[in-house]
Structure formats: C-alpha cells, structure tokens
C-alpha cells in the first residue's frame, strides 16, 4: 500500500507448507531438553511455557507428553496457603501462572485435582474496588490480569465469584480514542491488550459494549503489505499477533476483513525448516511461544490439519465444548 | 552491576552456615548451567526457604538478578528485605537505573522501580529516567506506562505537551507519543471544542507532512468522535481532507475519513465513490472497503 510502513519482505526460499511433523519434534524435544540455556532462563515463566507446548501439541493432534509428569509439575507450583500457582516450584503465586496451570490441568483432564474454592479465592482476592485485578500481592495492574482472572474463573465454572460489573467497567476505561485497548487507562493501544479485553468481554457476555466496526478497523489495520500483523502502528509484524489480532477479530465477527492468504503466507514463512517451530518473523530464532500462536493462527484461518482452536481461551475447541463453556463470539458480518 | 566479589558462595566463610539447595535436575542428564548460576541460585533457594532478611541475602539477590533479571520471585524477596531493613533506597533507585539501562524491556525491574517510588514518595528522577529510555527506544511500552503513572500520580503535567512535540519532531510516526498527547490533554484541559480545534490544527501540520501516517488520523477522528461530535462540525478539518483528495493524495486513512465525512452528510453516492477509488489499488484492506460500501447501500435503501 505504501512504502512508509515498517515491514518485512518475504523471500522465495522461505517455507510455504505447514511443517507438521517438524513442529511436533521441536515441541517434544524442547519439553525434554531441560538443560538448555533457554529452558533454564525461562524458569520464571515455566508454567506458561508448558501451556504453550502442550496446547501446540494438542493442535497438532499429538498426545505424547506424559500426563502424570505434567500434573506433578503443575501441582509442584501450587501454593496451598494462597490457592495460586507460581511459574515454577518455589516461585511466588501469580495470576498469570494460575491461569496457565488451570489451562494445563484442563488440557490433561485433571481439573478435579484442584481445590477449586481455594483457587477461586486466590483470584477473587486480587480484584480491586475499581474493578481491576492485581497480578499478585505486589499490586501491579494490567488488563492482562483481568483476562487471566476471567478465564481462570470461567474454566472453574465460577465467573460470578468476582465482581463482573466493576471488572467490565475497568476494561472499558482502558479503551482509547482509537477504539482499541491498553493495559491501564490511558496507556497505548496494543493488540495483546486488545485480545485480553475482548476475550474478557466475551467471557462476560458483554461484547455489546464494543464498537466492533471501529475496533475491527484498528485490528485489520495491523496487517501490513507482507501479510504479517503488527501490534500497534508503525511496528514490525510478529507471528504472535496472528493470535492476538486474529482471535480478537474472530470474536467480534470481523476476521474476514484480513487478507487471509497473505497472512497464511507470512506465518508459514516464519517456520524453521531445519528445527521446526515458528519464530516471530521469517529468519529469526524459533520458540514455543511463537510456535503455539503461529499454529493457533493457522487453525483459526482454517487449516484442516490442525485441531480447531477456541479464539477466547486458546485451547482446543473440543475441550471448551466438553467443559460446557459458552463463550460469546459475534456472528460474522458480511 | 553486581558486587565485584566473584568468589563462589560455596567458598565464602561468612556463608558456611547455609546449606545450598541444589537446582532441580532434568531427567538423568548432566546439568549444563554455568557454575556461577548453580552457586548463586542454590544459595538463593536456601536463603528464601530460611526466610532470612539480611544484608548478605540482599547482596545475594543482586547476583541472582544479574544472572536472570526476569526472576520475579527474587525481585519480590529483595523488596521484602527492603521493607524489613534499613537499606538506602537512594542506592536502590540507582540499582534499578542500571538494570533498566541494561534491560529496558524487562517487566520486573519497571515494577520494582514503581514500588520504590511509592516507598520513597520521590518522583523527581522519573521523568528523566523515562526520557532517557525513550531516547533509545521511543516506543518502549514500559517507559511510557511508567511516565504516565508518575505524571498522573504526582501531578507533573507541565512540560508534557512539549515532551511529546520533541518526540514527534524526531519521528512523527511515533504512535506512543500521539497516545501520550491524548492522555495529557484528557487529564489537563479536557476536550472542549476550543481544545479540539487547537489540537486539530496541531494534527493538520503532521498530516500534511506525512498523509500516510496512521497515528494523527486516529488522533483526529478519536478526539472528534470520542467527545460526541461529528467530523462535519469541524470545517477546517473537513477542508483539509477535501484538499488532500483534490491534490490526488491517496492516503487510505485520509480517504477513509473523507468517505465517512460524506456519509455523515448523507452524500452516500459520493462516499461510495471514495471506496471505489480505494479499491482501484488492491490491498490487504479490500474486504473492509467492501463492507463499508455495503453498509452505505443498506442506509440508502432505508
């Protein structure tokens, strides 16, 4: 469209097909190679790392990870005094890793090992009078934590344990002049935060609070000539936005405003044909985070080799259905 | 950044009383952590289990952070020590400076900084800190977030519009700076019609410099519609859009706005004309233009 955008240029020699079995190998090897530098350094987000790997493998229809080991790991991150989960054993509980842990247990069908009431109380106690949620006792506020709270409570069948009205009020105060959302009132619109806000509103059945045309326009403006999506104006495209942006558009019924073929091409080009896995953009180093969101994006775009993914919780749709969760998704506008 | 004493904790006589807790092993394979990492973190684990709040524990957290500044539990523990002991917060602010300088996108250090300022009640260094960080990366989300918090918490609004202007002079496509401007106006003068006119005039200069730049268009339409007005209420803004069009400037943002202005006037056919112009050059945006045309056609049949 114009030469002024920050963007990347796709190259002829980049992958054009989904490297299905390579990704399985990459994820399984990552989970097992617990001595790599990256693995050690990522201890502080390990619970999320396990969620990314496990969900990605499920989307690849692969069930090779041992569920007992996974359950053991997750429960070793549990803090019985608080009801929350940390990123790794002996790490302080935090709402981010509480969500990841509950998602993991849902994926391996072991939600029944939880003291549900205790976990619910951990989440409830983090809500503030203004409706926002702290991440933990240290008081950081961010709309990401609202999403984590709603998603956790929803998976435990108990959304109304928190004050949904004030929580929604807080989300709406984080809406900016461009129709998109930031992390706290006034902070810059960012696609990751948009996903969290839209996802939370979906869980609360409050999508009617959105101006879906205005937000849909902002989201579709994330697509660059290369086909990739960025997170805010004048930033480079990144495969993870194939999730944050695309899932948001899916929830508000406007995913078809994107050029699907170009987006698919960008995502596929970001694969590493030697190691498997996806990177943030073509040619960069791969990691499980971008692998999950690349695969989830492709699933949302209709790739039939992959299991269908739920756009609100980023879990297999079959799992969401089996839990009986009804998450609001706008019907497609023409 | 950390103490220059690199003697392993396992060899320090003043740590003899502590039994380190070895790091968890993966499977049966040999651990390849660096020796320093193993040493520091095994002592860190032992100290945290013991819940020892002391100067030596504090210095240990410095080493632990040096090795992995994303370890949020170590930062928490460091703050617990600060709460429990009489350690100079001024020095701690300097420590945070150094980590921010080294790792400006690290969540934990920015949160730590905020906690420190809440403890000291002294925001006098924060505008400089964020300005320096933004000087290296003008879109650093953490720096902007911290600046917005400091400015609103301590009422430091004066000079913020000038700060934005400086950044826009350097890069008029800096969306973060446009967002900050909106934030400052919202929290100072608010958005009465006079302010909107002033800001539209300000925005006009930047639109004319780079009509293909998304941010000022969002800023302009956001301030108009977000405050309950229509674009047709602002004559000079409408004239600018018409003028760009007549000069054959085909910015998709400008054209979209012009189409919406025509729609506000109920000039539906003329609005559709604009979308047709946009569709002349196939882009990733085509489905959206089709949708807008369809919406207008539906209005026309009402």
């Amino acid at each position: 469209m114009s030469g002024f955008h920050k963007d990347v240029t796709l190259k002829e020699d980049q992958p054009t097909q989904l490297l299905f079995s390579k990704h399985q190998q990459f994820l399984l090897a990552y989970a097992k190679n617990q001595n790599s530098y990256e693995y050690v350094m990522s201890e502080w987000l390990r619970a999320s790392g396990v969620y990314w790997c496990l969900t990605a493998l499920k989307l690849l229809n692969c069930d090779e990870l041992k569920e007992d080991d996974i359950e053991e790991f997750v429960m070793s991150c549990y803090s019985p005094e608080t009801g929350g989960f940390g990123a790794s054993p002996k790490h302080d509980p935090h709402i981010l890793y509480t969500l990841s842990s509950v998602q993991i247990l849902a994926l391996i069908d072991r939600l029944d090992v939880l003291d549900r009431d205790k976990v619910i109380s951990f989440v409830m106690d983090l809500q503030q009078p203004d409706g926002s949620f702290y991440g933990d006792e240290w008081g950081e506020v961010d709309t990401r934590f609202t999403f984590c709270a709603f998603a956790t409570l929803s998976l435990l069948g108990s959304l109304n344990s928190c004050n949904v009205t004030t929580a929604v009020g807080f989300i709406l105060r984080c809406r900016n002049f461009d129709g998109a959302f930031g992390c706290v009132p006034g902070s810059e619109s960012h696609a990751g935060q948009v996903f969290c806000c839209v996802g939370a509103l979906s869980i609360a059945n409050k999508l009617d609070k959105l101006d879906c045309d205005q937000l849909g326009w902002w989201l579709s403006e994330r697509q660059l000539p290369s086909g990739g999506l960025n997170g805010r104006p004048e930033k480079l495209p990144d495969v993870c936005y194939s999730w944050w942006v695309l899932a948001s558009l899916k929830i508000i019924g406007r995913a078809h405003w994107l050029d699907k073929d170009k987006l698919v091409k960008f995502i596929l080009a970001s694969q590493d044909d030697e190691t498997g896995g996806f990177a943030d953009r073509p040619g960069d180093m791969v990691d499980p985070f971008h692998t999950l969101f690349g695969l989830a994006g492709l699933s949302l775009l209709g790739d039939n080799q992959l299991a269908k993914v739920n756009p609100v919780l980023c879990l297999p749709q079959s799992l969401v259905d089996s839990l009986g969760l009804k998450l609001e998704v706008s019907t497609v506008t023409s | 950044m950390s103490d220059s004493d690199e003697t392993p904790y396992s060899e320090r006589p003043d740590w003899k009383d502590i039994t380190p807790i070895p790091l968890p092993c993966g499977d049966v394979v040999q651990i390849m952590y660096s020796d320093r990492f193993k040493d520091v973190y095994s002592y860190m684990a032992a100290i945290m289990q013991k819940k020892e709040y002391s100067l030596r524990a504090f210095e240990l957290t410095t080493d632990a952070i040096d090795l992995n500044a994303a370890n949020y539990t170590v930062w928490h523990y460091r703050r617990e020590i600060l709460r429990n002991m009489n350690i100079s917060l001024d020095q701690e602010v300097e420590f945070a400076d150094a980590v921010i300088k080294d790792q400006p996108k690290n969540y934990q250090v920015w949160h730590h900084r905020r906690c420190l300022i809440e403890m000291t009640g002294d925001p006098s260094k924060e505008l400089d800190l964020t300005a320096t960080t933004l000087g290296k990366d003008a879109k650093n989300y953490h720096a902007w977030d911290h600046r917005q918090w400091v400015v609103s918490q301590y009422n430091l609004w004066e000079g913020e519009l000038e700060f934005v202007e400086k950044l826009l002079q350097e890069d008029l496509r800096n969306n973060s700076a446009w967002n900050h401007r909106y934030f400052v106006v919202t929290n100072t003068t608010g958005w009465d019609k006079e302010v909107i006119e002033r800001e539209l005039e300000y925005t006009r200069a930047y639109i004319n410099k780079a009509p293909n730049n998304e941010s000022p268009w969002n800023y302009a339409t956001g301030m108009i519609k977000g405050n309950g007005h229509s674009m047709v209420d602002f004559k000079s803004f409408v004239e600018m859009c018409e003028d760009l069009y007549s000069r054959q400037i085909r910015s998709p943002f400008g054209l979209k706005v012009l189409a919406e202005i025509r729609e506000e006037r109920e000039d539906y056919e003329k609005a559709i004309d604009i979308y047709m112009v946009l569709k002349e050059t196939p882009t990733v945006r085509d489905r959206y233009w089709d949708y807008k045309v369809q919406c207008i056609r539906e209005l026309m049949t009402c």
Side-chain angles (χ1 to χ4, degrees):
Chain A
M1 169 155 42
S2 75
F4 296 105
H5 285 296
K6 271 179 107 159
D7 199 359
V8 300
T9 313
L10 300 186
K11 300 197 181 110
E12 289 296 318
D13 63 345
Q14 283 158 352
T16 54
Q17 302 294 320
L18 178 60
L19 305 169
F20 198 92
S21 51
K22 282 230 170 254
H23 298 313
Q24 285 181 342
Q25 285 164 30
F26 168 73
L27 291 160
L28 289 169
Y30 189 92
K32 287 174 182 154
N33 180 13
Q34 298 183 5
N35 306 311
S36 70
Y37 178 75
E38 292 84 4
Y39 189 88
V40 167
M41 290 296 280
S42 61
E43 180 193 298
W44 65 277
L45 52 61
R46 180 68 33 74
S48 297
V50 173
Y51 155 73
W52 300 328
C53 284
L54 188 54
T55 308
L57 284 165
K58 293 281 186 188
L59 294 183
L60 291 164
N61 300 306
C62 175
D63 269 314
E64 276 184 48
L65 287 184
K66 295 208 195 81
E67 296 186 348
D68 287 344
D69 291 348
I70 295 172
E71 181 193 323
E72 194 186 313
F73 167 75
V74 167
M75 294 317 291
S76 72
C77 301
Y78 180 62
S79 146
E81 304 84 42
T82 61
F85 290 79
S88 281
K90 299 189 186 145
H91 274 263
D92 293 341
H94 195 285
I95 206 170
L96 292 170
Y97 311 114
T98 301
L99 173 60
S100 295
S101 298
V102 171
Q103 284 172 310
I104 292 165
L105 290 173
L107 282 161
I108 59 173
D109 194 18
R110 306 253 175 126
L111 281 171
D112 53 342
V113 309
L114 285 176
D115 179 347
R116 275 180 193 239
D117 288 342
K118 192 75 190 167
V119 178
I120 288 166
S121 75
F122 173 77
V123 175
M124 277 171 63
D125 287 349
L126 290 169
Q127 189 168 22
Q128 300 309 304
D130 69 353
S132 67
F133 283 84
Y134 282 174
D136 61 20
E137 57 172 320
W138 291 95
E140 197 190 346
V141 167
D142 190 319
T143 45
R144 286 182 297 150
F145 306 151
T146 306
F147 174 78
C148 289
F150 275 20
T152 303
L153 293 176
S154 165
L155 283 166
L156 297 177
S158 196
L159 179 65
N160 291 305
S161 299
C162 73
N163 188 327
V164 176
T165 309
T166 59
V168 168
F170 175 75
I171 292 173
L172 295 174
R173 286 201 299 285
C174 296
R175 179 164 44 194
N176 292 315
F177 57 89
D178 48 23
F181 295 81
C183 65
V184 294
S187 57
E188 188 186 358
S189 298
H190 182 288
Q193 314 294 149
V194 170
F195 169 78
C196 291
C197 293
V198 170
L201 289 172
S202 159
I203 293 170
N205 233 303
K206 293 272 185 275
L207 289 179
D208 61 316
K209 302 284 186 195
L210 292 171
D211 179 342
C212 292
D213 277 356
Q214 186 194 24
L215 180 58
W217 163 251
W218 188 90
L219 286 165
S220 55
E221 257 313 294
R222 294 314 105 230
Q223 188 164 34
L224 296 168
S226 66
L229 307 175
N230 64 19
R232 42 183 173 139
E234 292 298 322
K235 296 283 272 176
L236 285 172
D238 183 322
V239 157
C240 69
Y241 295 114
S242 312
W243 181 259
W244 311 126
V245 172
L246 179 58
S248 302
L249 281 167
K250 201 73 165 176
I251 295 169
I252 64 172
R254 282 140 173 89
H256 56 290
W257 285 358
L258 293 175
D259 184 319
K260 173 187 153 169
D261 292 337
K262 284 195 141 187
L263 177 55
V264 167
K265 197 162 172 223
F266 176 85
I267 300 172
L268 293 175
S270 305
Q271 298 172 105
D272 185 317
D273 55 14
E274 279 178 35
T275 60
F278 291 74
D280 57 356
R281 58 190 71 93
D284 281 356
M285 269 195 66
V286 300
D287 60 51
F289 174 82
H290 290 95
T291 302
L292 169 60
F293 294 120
L295 289 170
L298 290 171
S299 170
L300 278 184
L301 291 164
D303 191 314
N304 285 322
Q305 297 170 88
L306 299 167
K308 218 168 154 240
V309 72
N310 175 271
V312 178
L313 294 177
C314 196
L315 289 169
Q317 184 62 47
S318 56
L319 171 59
V320 171
D321 292 340
S322 73
L323 290 168
L325 296 175
K326 297 270 184 282
L327 302 162
E328 195 187 355
V329 171
S330 280
T331 47
V332 172
T333 60
S334 305
Chain B
M1 198 189 321
S2 64
D3 219 277
S4 53
D5 181 359
E6 292 257 329
T7 316
Y9 285 85
S10 56
E11 290 170 22
R12 298 190 199 185
D14 53 335
W15 281 84
K16 268 204 156 58
D17 59 310
I18 299 291
T19 311
I21 298 175
L23 297 172
C25 287
D27 290 357
V28 208
V29 188
Q30 191 180 8
I31 294 169
M32 304 280 278
Y33 304 104
S34 75
D35 288 339
R36 181 162 179 249
F37 193 100
K38 276 189 268 187
D39 179 62
V40 167
Y41 271 93
S42 58
Y43 278 84
M44 194 72 244
I47 282 287
M48 288 200 285
Q49 181 150 292
K50 197 177 165 230
K51 289 198 174 15
E52 179 183 309
Y53 299 140
S54 64
L55 204 49
R56 69 173 182 175
F58 186 74
E59 284 162 3
L60 177 57
T61 64
T62 307
D63 280 343
I65 286 167
D66 185 41
L67 287 165
N68 188 354
N71 191 318
Y72 68 96
T73 301
V74 171
W75 282 104
H76 291 180
Y77 198 77
R78 191 179 173 94
R79 277 200 290 282
E80 288 286 13
I81 298 173
L82 286 171
R83 270 185 187 168
N84 278 281
M85 293 188 68
N86 222 356
I87 294 177
S88 155
L89 289 178
D90 284 342
Q91 263 195 303
E92 187 60 6
V93 166
E94 275 179 34
F95 173 74
D97 270 344
V99 180
I100 285 172
K101 194 168 163 190
D102 193 46
Q103 299 177 62
K105 290 193 179 177
N106 173 297
Y107 272 97
Q108 288 72 27
V109 68
W110 283 103
H111 184 233
H112 187 69
R113 180 72 180 213
R114 174 158 161 171
C115 292
L116 287 179
I117 303 310
E118 282 171 341
M119 284 158 85
T120 62
D122 173 15
S124 61
K125 298 192 174 77
E126 305 314 288
L127 295 183
D128 277 345
L129 168 71
T130 51
T132 305
T133 311
L134 292 169
K136 295 177 200 161
D137 171 6
K139 299 177 189 180
N140 183 316
Y141 201 87
H142 305 283
W144 281 111
D145 197 40
H146 189 70
R147 193 177 179 98
Q148 288 192 338
W149 172 72
V150 167
V151 155
S152 50
Q153 186 75 9
Y154 298 99
N155 261 313
L156 298 172
W157 301 102
E158 209 184 298
E160 284 309 281
L161 289 181
E162 288 79 6
F163 181 71
V164 166
E165 172 61 16
K166 182 166 153 289
L167 286 169
L168 288 178
Q169 297 266 0
E170 287 165 19
D171 176 10
L172 49 75
R173 290 188 175 85
N174 185 338
N175 192 64
S176 313
W178 285 102
N179 179 73
H180 193 64
R181 193 172 179 96
Y182 200 95
F183 174 75
V184 171
V185 173
T186 301
N187 286 286
T188 50
T189 55
W191 294 96
D192 65 30
K193 248 194 151 189
E194 222 175 271
V195 173
I196 295 179
E197 297 275 12
R198 178 195 84 199
E199 289 299 305
L200 283 176
E201 189 55 37
Y202 179 85
T203 308
R204 194 148 62 118
Y206 282 104
I207 287 177
N208 277 311
K209 274 189 206 162
N212 252 340
N213 177 12
E214 183 180 351
S215 306
W217 287 106
N218 285 345
Y219 186 71
T221 56
M223 81 174 87
I224 294 171
K225 293 195 268 189
N227 291 292
H229 302 289
S230 302
M231 290 186 285
V232 293
D233 299 338
F234 296 91
K235 225 169 130 240
S236 51
F237 179 71
V238 171
E239 276 167 12
M240 176 195 72
C241 295
E242 300 277 8
D243 176 59
L244 288 170
Y245 183 62
S246 67
R247 285 194 284 134
Q248 302 295 319
I249 290 169
R250 295 293 177 252
S251 153
F253 308 109
L255 290 181
K256 174 178 176 279
V257 168
L258 184 59
E260 286 171 3
I261 287 170
R262 291 177 176 190
E263 202 184 317
E264 277 179 7
R265 286 190 185 132
E266 296 181 16
D267 256 337
Y268 295 130
E269 286 291 356
K270 289 220 158 91
I272 290 177
D273 286 345
I274 300 290
Y275 290 116
M276 291 305 150
V277 168
L278 281 163
K279 283 179 59 108
E280 276 167 16
T281 319
T283 66
V284 292
R285 213 61 71 235
D286 285 354
R287 292 294 300 274
Y288 180 78
W289 307 139
D290 287 339
Y291 171 71
K292 293 296 285 184
V293 168
Q294 191 196 324
C295 287
I296 295 175
R297 292 222 160 99
E298 280 168 19
L299 280 173
M300 287 164 76
T301 58
C302 283

